[in-house]
Amino acid sequence: MPNYAECHRDLDSYISARVPVICMRTIEQQRALRLVRTAATHARRGNMPFWIYTRATGLRDLRTNAPLMDDRSLTGAMEYAAGQFTARPNATLVLVEPDDLDADTPLTRHIAELARLADTNMGSIILITDSPVWSGLQRLGMSLQLEPPDADEMYATLSAFLDDHRGHIPIAWGEQDIRRASEFLVGVTEGEAINLMATVAAKGSVDEGDVLVLAQSKDRIFNDLTGLQKVPLKAADYAVGGLSNLRDWLRRRGRLLQADLRATDLRPPRGVLLVGVPGCGKSLSAKAIAAQWQLPLYRLDMGSIHGKYLGESEGRFREALETADRVAPCVLWIDEIEKGLAGAGDGTGVPQRIIGQFLFWLQESQSRSFVVATANDVRSLPPELLRKGRFDELFFVDLPDAQDREEIIGIYYRRYLKADPDPEQLARLVDLSEGFAGSDIEAALHDVGAEVYLGGGTENLRPAFVLDTFANTVPLSRNNPEQIEEIRAWGRERAVPAGRFTATTAQGPAAPARRIVFLDD
Ligand SMILES: Nc1ncnc2c1ncn2[C@@H]1O[C@H](COP(=O)(O)OP(=O)(O)OP(=O)(O)O)[C@@H](O)[C@H]1O
Ligand SMILES: [Mg+2]
């Protein structure tokens, strides 16, 4: 049952049961009030008084909206209610967002006292609030939580909005488009959804492409997010060379991420773990995926998760994941995941609990947040994370082979020198860059680009200068060959290559994707 219908049912029975305090936790005041109004206007409740107090409007009759007193203070309203509770049975006072409900204060004690008084004459107090309620008050009654709309409710809201505008503006959306838009909007409030939809419609039409526009503009309503950092994207900057296997996989999965899967038992893709040699395009791929799928990119900094106090790290991590659910659809980039999860045996139990939280979320979250986790030091990754069914795939990003280097050289030659390399020179650069990571190639061509700029343009560029720069570059892999070899040995054996399958892997019957198999699997 959708949460709204559930709240409706519960509120109705609490009102009928004359529960003295009903706490409604929600960030959507208007929606909560609609529920209360529906309950109050129920035919059988005609002779039950309902009053509502808000700071802006003072105390009013909930049904007629007629003011009941001139004094707009909360204390005044509570005094009025106290008099009425003793004089009339079955009265209900609705308090909207009273301040400081979460602690034992004179106000919360006053409300509790009023509730006890109401209880003697079948009276009741409904509290609508977005903050927790002091336990002393909560224990006098029942609580319910009104969540933002789910996809079905969102569908109803959007359909109603569009029906309202049909005939006034051209609307190209069919049922499927409304469905997709509703799924994208899960996590925002009803009011926010209407604002977003209205902004789209304000240009004078609702077009097919607006489904994606809506998904993208959704994240503009979230600022100051806990634990997540929004990464600005500039599509032109994320050309990735090589990694063709990963790119093919992503192309296919991208369609699944956008599809309406309700009629199937499939779930949207969860994410990939990219492990491998430094400087070969793991972080770049995270940005490229978000840019290609036109989804906002959020970075979860594992380093900033760790706090000094007991339980702090877990709390921050949970908040970050909840935020990711709210901003979805998005790409959630967890860079250097091993840094946050390493040290499982450190005695504090913190990494272990964080790993547990993360695995639970990976399995249970229904949101369309696609995780791109990257790691260098694979040996410190907890084995649970690598087990089948956690990430959709584990890719190994290796040093680029000759064909990949050719692509990467092409990308940066054009970017920094504004020209294509001639084929003969390209072939020599490919040879010279044997053992280079993508970042080495990028850095070398950046140096050349800077010299060209200082030297007055490409006309003055000697081809030998480019070759010399490459020849004089000491690639990262040569600085620390043992470490690189270890990473490569690990990845080749256990993960799916992100680059194209090499001759040996492509021969014979298609090899099943390689996965780690643990003894207890
Ligand atoms: N395959 C590639 N295609 C194009 N550019 C690349 C590629 N690999 C690396 N680069 C260039 O090198 C830079 C660094 O790459 P990136 O940050 O993605 O490496 P990484 O694999 O995340 O490394 P690390 O493990 O050190 O974090 C990129 O910003 C890009 O300029
Ligand atoms: Mg990186």
Side-chain angles (χ1 to χ4, degrees):
M1 187 188 286
N3 171 262
Y4 187 80
E6 217 167 50
C7 282
H8 191 165
R9 184 199 58 195
D10 291 347
L11 179 67
D12 229 35
S13 44
Y14 297 161
I15 292 178
S16 296
R18 305 313 298 149
V19 172
V21 177
I22 304 171
C23 304
M24 277 183 92
R25 255 316 269 286
T26 182
I27 50 168
E28 294 181 283
Q29 218 185 74
Q30 290 309 318
R31 244 170 120 231
L33 279 175
R34 203 161 68 217
L35 271 182
V36 176
R37 284 215 166 81
T38 318
T41 44
H42 198 292
R44 279 185 288 124
R45 300 202 171 113
N47 56 0
M48 291 167 68
F50 274 84
W51 314 299
I52 178 165
Y53 173 84
T54 71
R55 227 167 306 150
T57 58
L59 190 68
R60 289 172 180 255
D61 183 291
L62 180 75
R63 298 193 188 92
T64 64
N65 214 23
L68 295 172
M69 58 193 300
D70 290 335
D71 178 1
R72 296 230 170 145
S73 71
L74 178 59
T75 343
M78 283 168 66
E79 262 164 37
Y80 175 92
Q84 292 287 320
F85 277 141
T86 35
R88 309 166 67 177
N90 291 322
T92 302
L93 169 66
V94 184
L95 296 177
V96 181
E97 289 293 349
D99 285 332
D100 302 327
L101 276 183
D102 58 343
D104 179 358
T105 62
L107 174 70
T108 45
R109 284 191 172 255
H110 189 174
I111 299 178
E113 211 177 296
L114 187 65
R116 282 191 208 97
L117 178 75
D119 192 25
T120 57
N121 206 8
M122 313 269 274
S124 163
I125 299 175
I126 299 179
L127 298 168
I128 298 180
T129 172
D130 69 354
S131 60
V133 173
W134 174 50
S135 59
L137 199 49
Q138 233 185 83
R139 281 203 301 265
L140 295 176
M142 305 291 269
S143 301
L144 38 91
Q145 178 125 11
L146 179 62
E147 310 276 2
D150 64 13
D152 287 332
E153 292 172 65
M154 210 48 107
Y155 178 82
T157 307
L158 292 190
S159 301
F161 179 93
L162 292 170
D163 286 347
D164 234 22
H165 289 78
R166 237 176 269 283
H168 299 285
I169 54 170
I171 294 174
W173 284 12
E175 148 114 33
Q176 280 298 324
D177 302 300
I178 308 180
R179 273 279 159 221
R180 272 180 66 207
S182 340
E183 300 218 346
F184 280 144
L185 288 180
V186 168
V188 309
T189 66
E190 185 185 73
E192 287 165 339
I194 292 175
N195 285 345
L196 286 169
M197 193 63 233
T199 311
V200 164
K203 70 177 185 318
S205 61
V206 177
D207 312 312
E208 258 163 45
D210 285 340
V211 176
L212 270 183
V213 173
L214 200 68
Q216 286 156 23
S217 47
K218 172 183 169 184
D219 77 306
R220 287 198 208 125
I221 54 181
F222 299 102
N223 49 22
D224 200 17
L225 296 167
T226 3
L228 294 189
Q229 180 200 354
K230 174 105 193 266
V231 183
L233 289 174
K234 285 176 273 159
D237 292 352
Y238 309 120
V240 181
L243 310 187
S244 49
N245 202 20
L246 168 66
R247 280 154 65 195
D248 283 349
W249 186 90
L250 288 166
R251 205 167 301 126
R252 275 178 287 123
R253 292 297 159 134
R255 283 180 30 220
L256 212 51
L257 193 72
Q258 314 241 331
D260 176 5
L261 299 175
R262 282 167 325 122
T264 72
D265 283 330
L266 301 172
R267 54 178 214 165
R270 226 52 276 265
V272 282
L273 175 58
L274 307 179
V275 299
V277 183
C280 288
K282 298 185 295 295
S283 301
L284 177 70
S285 295
K287 295 178 210 158
I289 294 168
Q292 189 189 329
W293 290 351
Q294 298 183 293
L295 290 177
L297 176 67
Y298 291 94
R299 183 164 175 270
L300 172 60
D301 179 3
M302 292 304 273
S304 75
I305 289 294
H306 290 294
K308 292 201 284 292
Y309 304 105
L310 193 66
E312 201 179 352
S313 314
E314 293 94 316
R316 284 192 196 164
F317 191 60
R318 188 178 46 247
E319 253 181 280
L321 295 179
E322 279 170 7
T323 308
D325 283 338
R326 277 206 84 197
V327 295
C330 66
V331 172
L332 177 63
W333 172 25
I334 311 182
D335 211 19
E336 308 191 339
I337 191 171
E338 74 272 30
K339 297 220 168 110
L341 302 183
D346 71 352
T348 65
V350 174
Q352 209 58 53
R353 283 198 292 276
I354 288 192
I355 294 165
Q357 273 180 341
F358 184 56
L359 294 180
F360 182 78
W361 179 83
L362 270 183
Q363 205 141 319
E364 296 301 320
S365 165
Q366 294 297 319
S367 76
R368 290 175 188 237
S369 27
F370 185 84
V371 180
V372 181
T374 70
N376 280 333
D377 190 1
V378 276
R379 290 157 306 167
S380 62
L381 280 176
E384 307 88 293
L385 196 67
L386 307 173
R387 211 174 279 162
K388 221 178 174 65
R390 307 300 199 194
F391 287 98
D392 294 311
E393 201 55 273
L394 166 61
F395 281 104
F396 172 60
V397 178
D398 202 352
L399 288 172
D401 63 14
Q403 193 178 330
D404 294 347
R405 293 200 301 278
E406 186 178 318
E407 256 183 62
I408 301 172
I409 292 169
I411 291 172
Y412 292 107
Y413 207 99
R414 282 185 291 277
R415 181 169 306 168
Y416 295 130
L417 298 163
K418 308 287 176 223
D420 278 311
D422 76 63
E424 197 185 320
Q425 192 192 28
L426 181 61
R428 293 190 62 188
L429 291 176
V430 169
D431 284 344
L432 282 170
S433 58
E434 165 93 57
F436 280 29
S439 58
D440 297 317
I441 298 177
E442 190 266 346
L445 284 167
H446 185 271
D447 281 354
V448 177
E451 281 306 319
V452 166
Y453 179 81
L454 295 172
T458 347
E459 310 81 67
N460 303 328
L461 173 69
R462 288 178 302 110
F465 178 70
V466 189
L467 298 175
D468 286 349
T469 309
F470 268 60
N472 291 328
T473 299
V474 180
L476 219 65
S477 63
R478 218 173 291 155
N479 277 332
N480 200 345
E482 296 83 14
Q483 192 204 358
I484 302 289
E485 248 341 289
E486 251 176 65
I487 296 177
R488 296 181 84 180
W490 188 97
R492 282 193 189 131
E493 201 176 309
R494 294 168 169 93
V496 178
R500 99 188 56 72
F501 287 103
T502 52
T504 41
T505 48
Q507 276 167 6
R514 267 177 288 167
R515 281 279 193 178
I516 300 184
V517 179
F518 289 94
L519 294 179
D520 55 343
D521 259 351

